[in-house]
Amino acid sequence: MSFQNLLVHLDDSKACSYRIEAAISLAKRQNAQLTGIAIALTSTISNYIGFEIPSSFGEAQQKLVQEAVEISLNNFELMAKEADIKYTSKIIKCDATKAAALLSFNARHADLCFLGQPNPDEPGSSFRDSLLNSILYTSGRPVYVVPYIGRPNPKIRNAVIAWDGSKKAVRAVNDAIPLLKGRGNTTILIINPNQRIGVHGKKPGQDIADHLECHGIKTKIICQTFNDA
């Protein structure tokens, strides 16, 4: 079991290169194809104000949007070629109101989607936040969120599973199996297991540990109990 078809969202944010690096790193390890998708918004400021503006203003705005998209695509393709991975690129041209749905549609047809954590101090952070939330809740696919500060220590190979025995946790763990296979240690962390006795077996965490063992993933189980203040 491995990822074969990865997707990464491209934009003009300062952290986009971190996102591409993370996606390329996984693509190399899994021998997967990586698709870079950039969004070229066709809506202009004239759609949101109550009076006409010169058409030349809208044309100039669209030119800036296209230039930003081409820069992000060129950067992605350069990094992908240098890494010698299988890759393709795509531009989505749409109105801002349709961007999230279209990106979610594309993510639905990939094994894993790389998105960036929006930097609240950068312009356009609210738009990027809406994209992230849309993919998380409507694509039905696993999402790898890369922090806008980058990956400070990518050599750390430990993984922690926050396990509560729920349907959501089961889905998340199974989606992450290809990632967990590449980790040195995987810890199954269970908080207050006695509060959810009905979803655990005789030993909390042991059933999911046995399941992961079948995939060659070594785990250890840690249970922590906290009393309410």
Side-chain angles (χ1 to χ4, degrees):
M1 180 178 179
S2 62
F3 294 131
Q4 293 299 311
N5 182 27
L6 305 176
L7 182 148
V8 58
H9 171 233
L10 309 174
D11 57 27
D12 59 352
S13 66
K14 295 179 180 178
C16 187
S17 292
Y18 299 138
R19 199 179 318 148
I20 297 172
E21 287 173 357
I24 286 176
S25 177
L26 183 59
K28 290 196 73 167
R29 294 200 307 272
Q30 304 270 324
N31 192 29
Q33 174 172 292
L34 177 61
T35 299
I37 293 188
I39 299 174
L41 297 180
T42 56
S43 53
T44 68
I45 193 172
S46 60
N47 298 117
Y48 305 103
I49 61 177
F51 56 88
E52 285 292 324
I53 59 173
S55 60
S56 59
F57 184 89
E59 292 170 0
Q61 188 181 49
Q62 285 302 303
K63 183 178 179 181
L64 290 175
V65 168
Q66 188 62 34
E67 288 176 353
V69 165
E70 290 176 359
I71 289 173
S72 64
L73 280 179
N74 289 338
N75 184 44
F76 165 73
E77 292 177 355
L78 182 63
M79 294 174 70
K81 285 179 182 177
E82 188 174 318
D84 193 26
I85 63 167
K86 296 176 289 184
Y87 73 92
T88 184
S89 58
K90 182 178 180 180
I91 297 176
I92 297 175
K93 291 187 177 182
C94 64
D95 185 270
T97 59
K98 298 178 180 179
L102 289 174
L103 185 57
S104 183
F105 174 83
N106 281 272
R108 199 169 295 142
H109 302 92
D111 294 324
L112 178 71
C113 180
F114 284 81
L115 294 176
Q117 175 196 22
N119 184 344
D121 296 326
E122 280 190 5
S125 62
S126 60
F127 174 71
R128 295 187 181 103
D129 189 58
S130 69
L131 289 180
L132 174 58
N133 279 288
S134 176
I135 307 305
L136 281 172
Y137 295 109
T138 68
S139 71
R141 306 304 297 145
V143 176
Y144 190 125
V145 182
V146 181
Y148 64 80
I149 62 171
R151 299 184 299 163
N153 191 351
K155 293 182 180 180
I156 294 176
R157 309 304 298 168
N158 298 330
V160 177
I161 296 171
W163 180 249
D164 64 2
S166 67
K167 180 173 68 175
K168 291 180 179 179
V170 169
R171 175 65 184 272
V173 170
N174 275 275
D175 283 342
I177 283 176
L179 293 174
L180 296 175
K181 283 184 175 181
R183 302 290 163 174
N185 298 292
T186 297
T187 298
I188 300 171
L189 177 63
I190 307 170
I191 304 298
N192 293 338
N194 291 334
Q195 294 182 3
R196 294 176 60 83
I197 295 177
V199 299
H200 295 300
K202 292 182 179 180
K203 182 181 178 181
Q206 189 59 55
D207 294 300
I208 193 65
D210 292 342
H211 173 62
L212 294 175
E213 179 76 24
C214 292
H215 289 276
I217 300 168
K218 302 294 183 181
T219 65
K220 65 176 180 179
I221 302 169
I222 295 178
C223 294
Q224 293 284 350
T225 299
F226 296 95
N227 296 321
D228 294 334

